[in-house]
Amino acid sequence: MFRIALRMLAGDTGKYLALVLGLAFSTTLIVQQGSVFTGLMRRAATQVESVPQADIWVMDGATRYFDERRAIEDTAVQRVRGVDGVEWAEPIFFGMGTAQMPDRTFASVQIVGVDRAARLGLADRFEDGRPEAIAEPDAVYWDHLNLDIYKQVRTGTTLEINDRRARVVALASAPRIFLSTPTVYTTYQRALAYSPGTRKRLTFVLVKVKPGHDHGEVAARIAAATGLGAKTRETFFWDTVFFYLKNTGIGINFGLTVLLGFIVGAAVAGQTFFTFIMENSRHFAALKAMGLSNRTLVLMVLLQALAVGVLGWGLGVGAATLFGHNITDRSVVAFLLTPQLLAISFLGTLVTVLLAGGISVRRVVAVPPAVVFR
Amino acid sequence: MTTTIVPSPLRTAVDVSGLRKGFSTGRTRIEVLRGVDLHARGGEILLLVGPSGCGKTTLLTLIAGLLDPDAGSVKLWGQALEALNAEEKTAFRKEQVGFVFQQFNLIPTLTIRENAAIPLLIRGLSQKQALDRAGAMLEKVGLGNRLTERPGKLSGGQQQRVAIARALVGDPKLLICDEPTASLDGETGAQVMEILRSNALQSERCTIVVTHDQRIFKYGDRIAQMRDGVVESMQDAPQSASVRAIAPAALG
C-alpha cells in the first residue's frame, strides 16, 4: 500500500509540484540565507582562521574578540617562548592607518605586520607583482579585493601611509574580512614604523604548541606565566563570532529573514498538502471500507508527507548549493554551508511535513468509511 | 455453451434481525431503520429497492459493518458483527466483503490495474502477485487490453467494470453494490449486471444490490421492498429467460 500511497501523491502532478516546490522554496531560503549568515560570521574572524599554523593567540588579558585590540609589550614574545609546551612564538601586528593615494584621495587601511622570517599571517596568494620583494625598502602588499573601490592602486604605486612612504610590490588576494577596509601587508618592523608611536606596540603573539601537549592547557600556562590573555585558535575564533552575533543584531536580523522564509514555505506546503489529503479523503474512506486499517492509513499519509518533504528539502538544498557554487572566501557574497545548517533545514522541513501530515491524517482517520455511500 | 442454473436451497449468508438505526441532527433525531429483518442466501442476488430516504443505503452500511446499529443484529455466515470490535470488523471486511459504489471511487492517479489490485494489497499480497491477479480479473471483465490506463480515460461503464473487478479480485463472500448502474446508460447497466449475475451464480457469494433502476430487476433473485425504515415485502425477481441463461463465469 505504501507504493500506492506514493503513486497517489505523484499522480496529481500539479499539487505534487506545488508541494515539492513550496518546501524547496522554504529550504532554499533557510539554507541560502543561513549560509550567507554563517559566511558573514566567519568573516568576522577570518584573520584568526587565516593563520592555521598558530594554535594559540596571546593578547592583552582584557581582549574579548579579534577587533578589540590593545597593544602588549614586545618582550611578551620572549616570555611566551619560555613557557613549557611552546614550540615557537612569533609576533604579529594589527593596526589602522590612513593611506594617501597618488591622486591625493585617501583610504583608511588595516596594517598587518608579520615577522620577516616566519611570515605568519602574511597573504600567500597574489594576483600580480613580486611577492618576494617584501624585503625591499618601503615594500607593502595591497589587498586586491578592494581594488574595485581603489582602482588607482596597482603594483608599483607609491602611497603614503601615516605620512611614510609605501610602495606596492604585489597585489595580494586574502580571504575577505567582515569590514571593507583595505588591508596592507608588510614586515613587522615596517608596520611599527607606519603606526603612531606608543610604548607598547605588539598586538598578538602567535604560538605553536609542541606535539603531544594540550592546546588549552598550554594556553592556561601562558596566561599564568605572563599575565596576558591566551586563547586557542578555536576559542578566539568563536569568541569573535559570538561577540558580533550578540552585539550587532546580525543574528536576529538574518534569523527573522530565515524564519519568514520558513513560515511562508511551510504555510504554502502545509496548506497544499492538507488540501491534497482532503481532496483524497473520499478515496481514503473507500480504502477504509475495503478493510484498510487506520494504522496503515496513518503510515500512508505520513509516508506521503515524508516523501514530499525529503524531495523538497533535497531540491531546496540543491538550489541553495547552486547559488553558493562559485562563491569562495574571496567573493563579495559570503556563503558557508555547514552540516548544522543542513540538519536545521531538514529538521524544519520535517516539522512542516509532519505537522501538515499529522493535521491531515487526523481528519482522514475521522472520516467514516460509510461516507463512500453518500 | 450456456448452462441454465437452477438455484438450490442455499444456506443463509446474511441474517439481519430487528435492526434499528437513527441519526441526530441538532435536536432532531431521525429513525432511519425501524426494525429491519432480512435474510439473503449464498449464491443469490438480493435487490434492495424503495423510495429515497427509506433506509436502503443505511442498511447496506450496517450489513457491511461500516456503521454500528442502535439495536438488532447482523450475522454474516453466522458471525455476529456486533461481537467484533472495530479492528476485527475492518479485518472481516478486508477478507470477506467487496464493494461496488455508485461513484466508482477509483483513484484517478493510479492505473486501472493498480486500482483493481488494492484489496489484495490491503491484504498484504506482494505488488507482483496483486497486480497479476488484478490483471487477470480485468481480463475477465473485458478490460485486459487497457491495464495501464487511468480511470479518467475510460467510459462510465468501463470504470464500473474496473470497480467490479476490484470488488471481486479478493474473492469476497459478500458483494455490496450501491446503485451500480445509476450512472450508466441502459445497455452499459445491463452489461454490468450480467457480470454481477454471472459472478453470483458461482460459489457461495451473496450479492446485495441497492437500486432504483427497474431495468435491472430481472437480474436479481429476490427483491426486498423497503419503505419507512422497514422491509415491507420480499418477493422473487421477475427473471427473464435470457437472464436465467446467463452462465456462471469462471471468475476467481
Side-chain angles (χ1 to χ4, degrees), chain A residues 1 3-5 7-13 280 282-294 368-370 372-374, chain B residues 57 60-61 64 66-67 90 93-94 99-101 103 105-111 114 118-119 121-122 127 131 150 166 176 178:
Chain A
M1 286 309 291
R3 194 181 133 94
I4 293 290
R7 297 270 293 115
M8 282 174 76
L9 178 71
D12 191 345
T13 314
N280 278 291
R282 193 175 175 84
H283 300 308
F284 284 123
L287 295 177
K288 284 166 74 174
M290 286 184 243
L292 185 73
S293 67
N294 276 338
V372 288
F373 288 118
R374 287 174 199 156
Chain B
T57 301
L60 214 54
T61 57
L66 298 175
L67 288 176
T90 302
R93 282 201 306 276
K94 181 169 70 176
F99 292 92
V100 178
F101 308 106
Q103 298 300 329
N105 281 316
L106 300 174
I107 298 174
T109 53
L110 305 181
T111 65
E114 287 168 331
I118 283 174
L121 293 170
I122 291 175
Q127 186 83 9
L131 289 178
R150 293 189 178 188
R166 180 182 63 187
I176 285 181
D178 183 37

Side-chain angles (χ1 to χ4, degrees), chain A residues 52-211:
Chain A
Q53 303 93 329
D55 299 321
I56 294 171
W57 288 60
V58 181
M59 63 206 82
D60 183 273
T63 303
R64 291 173 296 176
Y65 67 106
F66 179 80
D67 290 314
E68 184 181 66
R69 298 183 290 250
R70 186 161 65 180
I72 54 179
E73 290 174 350
D74 283 356
T75 54
V77 179
Q78 277 72 39
R79 283 189 287 149
V80 169
R81 282 175 179 157
V83 175
D84 182 36
V86 172
E87 184 165 335
W88 50 250
E90 299 295 343
I92 189 164
F93 174 88
F94 287 91
M96 298 300 292
T98 303
Q100 185 170 295
M101 307 293 173
D103 63 358
R104 313 295 294 170
T105 59
F106 68 91
S108 290
V109 294
Q110 178 178 237
I111 304 163
V112 179
V114 306
D115 181 81
R116 195 167 172 165
R119 300 169 72 95
L120 292 168
L122 198 61
D124 57 358
R125 277 170 57 180
F126 298 91
E127 296 297 313
D128 186 31
R130 296 179 300 118
E132 69 281 2
I134 194 69
E136 293 177 5
D138 305 328
V140 297
Y141 303 151
W142 181 275
D143 187 354
H144 92 292
L145 292 176
N146 300 96
L147 279 184
D148 51 343
I149 308 173
Y150 305 102
K151 289 186 169 57
Q152 62 271 56
V153 180
R154 292 280 179 273
T155 300
T157 300
T158 300
L159 312 166
E160 279 185 13
I161 299 176
N162 290 343
D163 296 331
R164 294 184 69 91
R165 187 171 181 273
R167 189 165 49 87
V168 177
V169 295
L171 297 177
S173 169
R176 281 187 184 271
I177 59 174
F178 197 59
L179 306 172
S180 64
T181 316
T183 302
V184 171
Y185 297 90
T186 188
T187 60
Y188 183 75
Q189 291 303 329
R190 201 171 298 135
L192 294 185
Y194 286 141
S195 300
T198 55
R199 193 170 57 83
K200 297 175 181 176
R201 314 289 297 277
L202 175 61
T203 319
F204 297 108
V205 180
L206 304 175
V207 176
K208 179 72 179 173
V209 174
K210 280 181 182 169

Side-chain angles (χ1 to χ4, degrees), chain B residues 191-218:
Chain B
Q191 288 171 3
V192 163
M193 286 310 297
E194 280 170 16
I195 293 170
L196 290 176
R197 178 78 202 158
S198 64
N199 167 66
L201 291 174
Q202 50 97 47
S203 77
E204 276 201 330
R205 182 173 298 133
C206 172
T207 305
I208 300 178
V209 180
V210 163
T211 185
H212 282 103
D213 188 355
Q214 294 192 13
R215 294 170 303 182
I216 68 168
F217 283 9
K218 60 186 178 187

